[in-house]
Amino acid sequence: MDADIISFESLLAAQEAARWSLWTMIGGWVSGLATTVACFIALRSTNSWREQEKYKRIILLKESIFSYKSTLYYVPNDFKPSPEFKDIAFQLQGALDAIHKQCLLLGYDEMPNNEIWKAFFELFALHSELLQGNIKAKVLVEAISKLSLLVKTKQ
């Protein structure tokens, strides 16, 4: 009779171990599923963050364009290089450098067919011509306005 009790107790222990194994397996599957969902959420958050950073850069580009345009209004239409206009020329160059920096940070230099990059190079060439006294400031106002219209801030 002792052998029967031992066999029965062994059967109950094996049954309990099987039950624990089932719950462990279910817990493992739930844990794996939760990890997969967390990975997708993290990936989506990273993409959302990347888009927000790009949007902030576009806003900074718009601000740089506005700064250049505002400085350009202080340039006389018949600008000729002279010591009295040195400060305005430095401000104008600083504003153009800020536009260039934002274009580079947005990666427009890696997209040579990009309309914004082309408009920037047109502005850059006209800027050089203005500082040499070869063109009127009005031409630059048109070029910066064109660039401003190309930069879209809608997210």
Side-chain angles (χ1 to χ4, degrees), residues 57 101-112 114 117:
R57 292 269 180 232
K101 176 185 173 186
Q102 293 306 322
C103 283
L104 291 176
L105 289 173
L106 283 164
Y108 292 147
D109 61 323
E110 297 169 1
M111 301 177 270
N114 186 300
W117 190 242

Side-chain angles (χ1 to χ4, degrees), residues 60-61 63-72 75 85-103 120 123-124 127 131 140 144:
L60 288 173
L61 176 60
E63 287 175 356
S64 300
I65 290 170
F66 180 76
S67 174
Y68 186 89
K69 197 173 189 178
S70 297
T71 307
L72 194 58
V75 176
F85 294 123
K86 178 178 72 170
D87 290 338
I88 197 76
F90 280 129
Q91 287 178 354
L92 206 56
Q93 185 62 47
L96 184 71
D97 290 343
I99 294 171
H100 185 234
K101 176 185 173 186
Q102 293 306 322
C103 283
F120 171 74
L123 174 68
F124 184 78
H127 174 85
L131 292 182
L140 228 58
I144 195 70

Side-chain angles (χ1 to χ4, degrees), residues 7 43 56 58 66 78 90-91 94 102 108 124 126 139:
S7 295
L43 183 63
K56 286 179 187 177
I58 290 172
F66 180 76
D78 56 343
F90 280 129
Q91 287 178 354
Q102 293 306 322
Y108 292 147
F124 184 78
L126 292 173
V139 176

Side-chain angles (χ1 to χ4, degrees), residues 22 37 59 63 77 82 85 98 100 116 121-123 133:
L22 173 70
V37 169
I59 295 297
E63 287 175 356
N77 199 32
S82 66
F85 294 123
H100 185 234
I116 295 172
F121 266 113
E122 181 182 326
L123 174 68

Side-chain angles (χ1 to χ4, degrees), residues 9 20 39 51 54 56 60 75 84 87 99 113 133 153:
E9 288 295 326
W20 276 103
C39 286
E51 288 298 317
K54 182 179 178 185
K56 286 179 187 177
L60 288 173
V75 176
E84 67 185 75
D87 290 338
I99 294 171
N113 292 331
T153 54

